[in-house]
Amino acid sequence: MPYRILIVAPSWIGDTIMMQPLLMRLKARRPEAEIHVLAPAWSAPLLARMPEVAASIENPFAHGQFDWAGRRALGRRLSAADFQAAYVLPNSWKSALVPFFAKIPKRTGYHGEARYFLLNDRHRFDAAAIPRLVDRYAALAGPPDGPTPNPRLASTAEQQRAARIALGLPIEVAPLVFCPGAEYGPAKRWPARHFAALARKVSRGETPHAGPIWAVGGPKDAEAGAEIERLSDGAARNLCGRTTLEQVIDLIAGARAVVSNDSGLMHVAAALDRPMAAIYGSSSPAYTPPLSPHAKIISLGLECSPCFKRECPLGHLDCLNQLPPERVLAALANHA
């Protein structure tokens, strides 16, 4: 029987990617281990691009949903898989219930919401000493044997070609990809008019990054993508809401460069090691930076930021409204 590990994953794209270095460490220390990840159904295509993951298990519980009976039933079903260890990454009390009901012998996680009997290997951390979320996750594997590795998603040339064929996109070009969304809220979204102005400048040859411009994202980003396409006079093509997550991964993997808000797709681009301009407004790169040496962080560093709010509490959103396209254009030129 192989040594099986269950990971209870977070619910966000970025956090799921920042989980991967923990998996890398676990596999490095026990190469024979099978890592199974309990995660929302949407994350299966993302987990499939992590070579450390043997299998994904659908977590059917919506964010914030308790469902004691459902979690107990799932835990009892998983008990037959004979997991020897579990790592619970969310800090909530309910997220630790499934490994407990599965009777997994070693259940590791941070203390969180007073999870005394649910976890039997509880950790605490000094937020000042470990500011980055990726390091906090990786530390659950035990004392580090070196710097935390960067996440790395897989995308083959065949997968990239298939995504473009399915979407009717040209095969041989290297696009500039825009990621204009941010699930957390408007205070993390660079204005569509700035993306559009940047697209017009690129189309006029004001940067070495010649070629098509594609805006990608989920259905919630479709309106922003359409506005970028309209304001840029068609210089940027809106693909938001028209792609699967798997296709977005492969489109980003084939990009010449990426311009992104602080979002899940920013972390996808970093894990694919694409040259990138990462735009920060209300959030801080000290906590969740893009984990790639090819990412250039762009922020005005105003006194009022980072505020970590979903919407600007002062009503002006200067941290993003006042960040001009020329700043991003300069970052792209440096990546050329």
Side-chain angles (χ1 to χ4, degrees), residues 200-261:
R200 292 195 302 270
K201 289 177 179 293
V202 171
S203 68
R204 292 195 298 262
E206 296 181 29
T207 173
H209 288 282
I213 303 166
W214 300 339
V216 301
K220 293 180 181 178
D221 308 320
E223 184 177 349
E227 187 176 7
I228 292 168
E229 185 174 68
R230 178 179 62 83
L231 294 176
S232 69
D233 300 321
R237 181 172 179 178
N238 176 31
L239 299 174
C240 296
R242 304 176 188 177
T243 58
T244 64
L245 176 56
E246 188 172 22
Q247 289 169 335
V248 168
I249 291 171
D250 292 321
L251 294 182
I252 291 175
R256 183 184 300 271
V258 177
V259 178
S260 180
N261 297 322

Side-chain angles (χ1 to χ4, degrees), residues 155-175:
S155 174
T156 66
E158 291 76 13
Q159 289 169 325
Q160 295 168 33
R161 180 181 177 85
R164 295 189 186 199
I165 291 173
L167 296 166
L169 298 171
I171 303 298
E172 302 301 332
V173 299

Side-chain angles (χ1 to χ4, degrees), residues 47-48 59 68 98 118 181 199 213 235 237 242 256 272 315 317 336:
L47 296 171
N59 185 339
W68 172 278
V98 169
L118 295 178
I213 303 166
R237 181 172 179 178
R242 304 176 188 177
R256 183 184 300 271
L272 292 166
L317 197 61

Side-chain angles (χ1 to χ4, degrees), residues 256-270:
R256 183 184 300 271
V258 177
V259 178
S260 180
N261 297 322
D262 173 19
S263 66
L265 293 187
M266 177 194 75
H267 293 289
V268 168

Side-chain angles (χ1 to χ4, degrees), residues 45-335:
L46 186 62
L47 296 171
R49 301 307 182 93
M50 298 181 183
E52 301 81 14
V53 177
S56 60
I57 303 166
E58 181 181 348
N59 185 339
F61 309 109
H63 185 67
Q65 180 184 4
F66 185 69
D67 193 354
W68 172 278
R71 292 175 191 270
R72 181 175 59 184
L74 177 58
R76 288 179 174 175
R77 287 198 302 273
L78 292 181
S79 65
D82 195 28
F83 289 105
Q84 282 80 49
Y87 293 81
V88 181
L89 302 191
N91 282 326
S92 65
W93 194 82
K94 59 184 176 293
S95 64
L97 285 172
V98 169
F100 175 76
F101 287 132
K103 298 182 180 179
I104 298 174
K106 182 182 179 183
R107 304 182 299 278
T108 298
Y110 287 109
H111 184 73
E113 296 178 348
R115 302 186 289 187
Y116 292 104
F117 69 94
L118 295 178
L119 300 177
N120 54 20
D121 180 29
R122 295 186 307 279
H123 294 234
R124 295 180 185 270
F125 64 87
D126 180 345
I130 313 179
R132 301 193 313 171
L133 181 62
V134 65
D135 298 318
R136 296 176 189 178
Y137 285 165
L140 292 174
D145 47 10
T148 301
N150 287 338
R152 285 292 175 267
L153 298 178
S155 174
T156 66
E158 291 76 13
Q159 289 169 325
Q160 295 168 33
R161 180 181 177 85
R164 295 189 186 199
I165 291 173
L167 296 166
L169 298 171
I171 303 298
E172 302 301 332
V173 299
L176 174 62
V177 171
F178 288 173
C179 302
E183 182 72 17
Y184 185 71
K188 294 177 72 173
R189 299 179 195 142
W190 201 41
R193 68 180 185 278
H194 287 347
F195 274 106
L198 177 62
R200 292 195 302 270
K201 289 177 179 293
V202 171
S203 68
R204 292 195 298 262
E206 296 181 29
T207 173
H209 288 282
I213 303 166
W214 300 339
V216 301
K220 293 180 181 178
D221 308 320
E223 184 177 349
E227 187 176 7
I228 292 168
E229 185 174 68
R230 178 179 62 83
L231 294 176
S232 69
D233 300 321
R237 181 172 179 178
N238 176 31
L239 299 174
C240 296
R242 304 176 188 177
T243 58
T244 64
L245 176 56
E246 188 172 22
Q247 289 169 335
V248 168
I249 291 171
D250 292 321
L251 294 182
I252 291 175
R256 183 184 300 271
V258 177
V259 178
S260 180
N261 297 322
D262 173 19
S263 66
L265 293 187
M266 177 194 75
H267 293 289
V268 168
L272 292 166
D273 218 20
R274 292 295 78 209
M276 177 170 51
I279 300 170
Y280 279 77
S282 65
S283 56
S284 169
Y287 180 56
T288 53
L291 298 169
S292 167
H294 300 297
K296 171 69 174 178
I297 294 170
I298 302 175
S299 172
L300 291 179
L302 303 182
E303 288 186 5
C304 56
S305 63
C307 67
F308 299 106
K309 302 295 184 181
R310 293 180 183 270
E311 299 189 19
C312 176
L314 302 178
H316 53 60
L317 197 61
D318 281 353
C319 59
L320 292 174
N321 283 330
Q322 300 303 319
L323 200 161
E326 289 76 15
R327 283 278 301 273
V328 180
L329 194 69
L332 293 176
N334 291 335
H335 276 311

